Amino acid sequence: MLKKLLFLSAIGISGIAFSQTNVKEKLGNYLDSLYAHHKVMGSFAFAENDRPTFIKVVGFADAGKQQKANVDTQYRIGSISKTFTAVLVMKAVEEKKITLDRKLSDFYPEIPNASKITIENLLQHRSGIHNLTDEAEYLQYNTKTQTESNLIGIIKKFNSDFEPGSKYEYSNSNYILLGFILEKIYKKPYAELIRSKITKPLKLTFTEVGGPIDTSKNQAKSYKCTNGTYQASDETDMSIPIGAGNMISTPRDLLDFILALEQGKLIRKQSLEKMKTFTDGYGFGLTKVPFGKYWGYGHNGGIDEFRSVLYYFPDLKIAAAFTVNQSDMNINEISVKLLETAAGHDFEMPDFKTFTIAKSELQKFTGKYASPGIPVKFNIFIQDNKLMAQATGQGAFPLDAVSGTKFKFEPAGITVEFFPEKNQFVIMQGGEKDTFTKE
């Protein structure tokens, strides 16, 4: 499934300048440690002074065949595809194929509010068009091939979420439509537009529209990892995301892409500036990204169990990119460490020590918990000697002990602290804190 954006937290550059050789080696050791502890598999790169200077790969492209990934392994990049789509739209504007104020009704009049929705609204997620990947039914068809007619039929059946232009709300439907619109105005497949207008001119050998994953072609599968065992994820059929997330690439290619974009090799500088017209933190296929006192731009992505990041900071002339095909941690931490290293600063290595609690002790935390005014309840239970949490209508997730009463689920930045004497737990995520009581 395509994921919504996970914005990089505001982060500071701390510490004094460090030997680049030493800190790069340390970063490599950090990534090796993450892999050894089943925290992540993937490919990582950064650029300094607008030049790629670091690349590191850990883990498998195909865990079942013990096929290791390498620097040329292709990964699905999810919503970073939106940046490529936005570049194609701006090229179409430069070539006078389309204007930003063109109405969606010229292409798909059957979509609610189409006569009020502009190409610019679609680019900025300000259309009000409902996000089809938010619906439970999405998981009933996402692994099956869909036609343009199928997808338009799905998109048009939902009412508008808000009046076009009135607010920002991330919707993959916007970029699915932009992919189809590009095909209509050029009378060519989206994959051919990517090839002829972006990857061929830039010689991006490993960047293309993806299809069914073929590990014999050095393409990575994505995985969940439970107790050191890798389970392959289902594959989204790439006919569905089109301009919203159907591309595959490598971190090195992604760095070359964003550096070329910054240097005016793809579109004019004024077109890039238009893309960086951020409203509510989102431009045209770009997000505004903080790093200490600096601001950059880029995008991140998620599809199936793949996660990806591509950021560039003009004032620092640094960029970072990674693609992971398994993660059991908050990948924002990896972004921070790549950027800190690229900026010439040291970082703190994590403590990978685990805290073990006997099953008999875990038992006192189990039960159903509720909180007044909050519509979801939590079921806390034990599975394979592991404490698990499951909110109403959502999938279960593991809780890793960090003390006798405190647990974490790092991929979502969740901390849960139990107070068994009160029959309560406190859950913390993103600065929010809520108390739940056992029923």
Side-chain angles (χ1 to χ4, degrees):
M1 184 191 297
L2 297 173
K3 304 292 185 182
K4 288 188 177 182
L5 293 176
L6 301 171
F7 287 104
L8 189 69
S9 303
I11 49 183
I13 306 176
S14 60
I16 58 172
F18 201 71
S19 162
Q20 272 297 77
T21 302
N22 288 347
V23 80
K24 284 178 186 174
E25 184 178 342
K26 184 176 180 180
L27 180 64
N29 292 337
Y30 163 73
L31 295 169
D32 283 333
S33 294
L34 291 182
Y35 169 61
H37 288 83
H38 305 296
K39 294 291 186 183
V40 81
M41 294 196 299
S43 185
F44 311 84
F46 66 69
E48 308 161 77
N49 295 317
D50 291 343
R51 186 172 62 86
T53 57
F54 175 89
I55 189 160
K56 174 77 175 180
V57 185
V58 295
F60 298 106
D62 187 332
K65 296 178 181 176
Q66 296 286 290
Q67 177 184 330
K68 287 190 173 293
N70 56 51
V71 295
D72 297 333
T73 299
Q74 293 173 300
Y75 299 76
R76 291 186 172 190
I77 62 170
S79 288
I80 295 177
S81 305
K82 291 180 174 68
T83 307
F84 286 79
T85 299
V87 167
L88 289 178
V89 172
M90 296 311 293
K91 287 186 79 69
V93 170
E94 291 179 359
E95 294 168 7
K96 303 193 183 313
K97 292 279 189 180
I98 201 167
T99 58
L100 292 175
D101 60 1
R102 186 94 173 262
K103 296 294 196 293
L104 178 60
S105 53
D106 289 349
F107 304 97
Y108 298 106
E110 65 270 38
I111 291 176
N113 273 341
S115 62
K116 299 178 182 179
I117 295 168
T118 65
I119 296 298
E120 186 165 354
N121 291 151
L122 295 173
L123 286 164
Q124 286 197 307
H125 295 296
R126 299 179 70 81
S127 69
I129 295 173
H130 188 69
N131 185 10
L132 59 79
T133 65
D134 280 351
E135 295 299 310
E137 68 173 21
Y138 175 73
L139 294 177
Q140 297 172 11
Y141 63 81
N142 75 302
T143 59
K144 304 177 182 70
T145 301
Q146 302 296 319
T147 63
E148 176 189 0
S149 177
N150 292 151
L151 290 167
I152 298 303
I154 293 167
I155 292 170
K156 75 178 184 181
K157 75 180 182 180
F158 298 110
N159 293 327
S160 291
D161 289 341
F162 52 86
E163 193 66 15
S166 66
K167 60 183 283 193
Y168 160 87
E169 195 166 296
Y170 193 84
S171 173
N172 287 301
S173 302
N174 292 320
Y175 276 76
I176 290 172
L177 290 169
L178 286 170
F180 287 135
I181 289 168
L182 285 163
E183 291 187 333
K184 288 181 183 299
I185 62 176
Y186 280 107
K187 297 182 172 56
K188 291 181 179 178
Y190 178 85
E192 171 55 31
L193 297 175
I194 288 289
R195 185 164 48 249
S196 63
K197 295 182 179 296
I198 298 179
T199 62
K200 189 175 178 182
L202 296 182
K203 297 182 173 60
L204 302 181
T205 311
F206 304 104
T207 303
E208 60 188 318
V209 167
I213 294 170
D214 186 347
T215 57
S216 72
K217 295 181 179 177
N218 202 11
Q219 296 172 2
K221 292 182 178 183
S222 72
Y223 295 90
K224 289 183 177 179
C225 185
T226 305
N227 298 325
T229 301
Y230 294 101
Q231 299 97 28
S233 167
D234 290 338
E235 291 180 29
T236 296
D237 191 287
M238 293 299 236
S239 63
I240 298 171
I242 187 169
N246 69 349
M247 293 185 62
I248 58 177
S249 188
T250 68
R252 179 59 192 267
D253 264 15
L254 290 175
L255 289 181
D256 287 344
F257 166 70
I258 205 162
L259 292 173
L261 180 60
E262 171 68 17
Q263 293 160 8
K265 294 178 181 178
L266 284 170
I267 54 176
R268 298 172 192 147
K269 288 292 184 79
Q270 54 265 44
S271 296
L272 175 57
E273 289 308 307
K274 187 70 176 173
M275 287 179 67
K276 293 194 288 182
T277 304
F278 296 109
T279 306
D280 297 317
Y282 201 92
F284 296 0
L286 293 173
T287 63
K288 191 175 183 181
V289 185
F291 181 57
K293 65 180 181 180
Y294 299 99
W295 288 92
Y297 63 85
H299 216 292
N300 58 10
I303 184 167
D304 307 323
E305 293 300 316
F306 293 96
R307 302 291 179 266
S308 54
V309 154
L310 177 62
Y311 298 141
Y312 180 75
F313 291 83
D315 291 341
L316 295 170
K317 296 190 181 304
I318 63 171
F322 63 78
T323 51
V324 303
N325 60 328
Q326 178 265 326
S327 60
D328 186 23
M329 63 179 295
N330 184 348
I331 60 170
N332 185 63
E333 294 179 22
I334 300 174
S335 302
V336 172
K337 287 176 172 57
L338 282 175
L339 291 169
E340 286 181 333
T341 306
H345 292 264
D346 193 11
F347 63 87
E348 187 176 339
M349 286 286 278
D351 181 358
F352 292 108
K353 291 178 183 175
T354 57
F355 194 92
T356 303
I357 301 178
K359 185 176 180 179
S360 58
E361 286 295 302
L362 292 176
Q363 201 66 47
K364 64 186 178 186
F365 304 132
T366 61
K368 294 190 183 298
Y369 293 75
S371 181
I374 297 179
V376 300
K377 295 184 179 183
F378 275 93
N379 181 27
I380 306 296
F381 61 98
I382 297 170
Q383 180 177 300
D384 297 329
N385 293 319
K386 186 94 170 175
L387 198 65
M388 306 287 290
Q390 185 169 21
T392 308
Q394 299 181 31
F397 56 91
L399 293 173
D400 294 315
V402 293
S403 77
T405 56
K406 188 179 285 189
F407 298 77
K408 283 189 175 183
F409 178 56
E410 288 188 359
I414 291 173
T415 299
V416 175
E417 185 167 6
F418 288 91
F419 299 90
E421 70 281 1
K422 298 180 181 178
N423 286 322
Q424 290 180 333
F425 72 74
V426 174
I427 184 168
M428 291 157 278
Q429 184 183 30
E432 299 290 325
K433 182 185 292 189
D434 294 294
T435 301
F436 283 76
T437 303
K438 191 181 291 190
E439 292 183 323

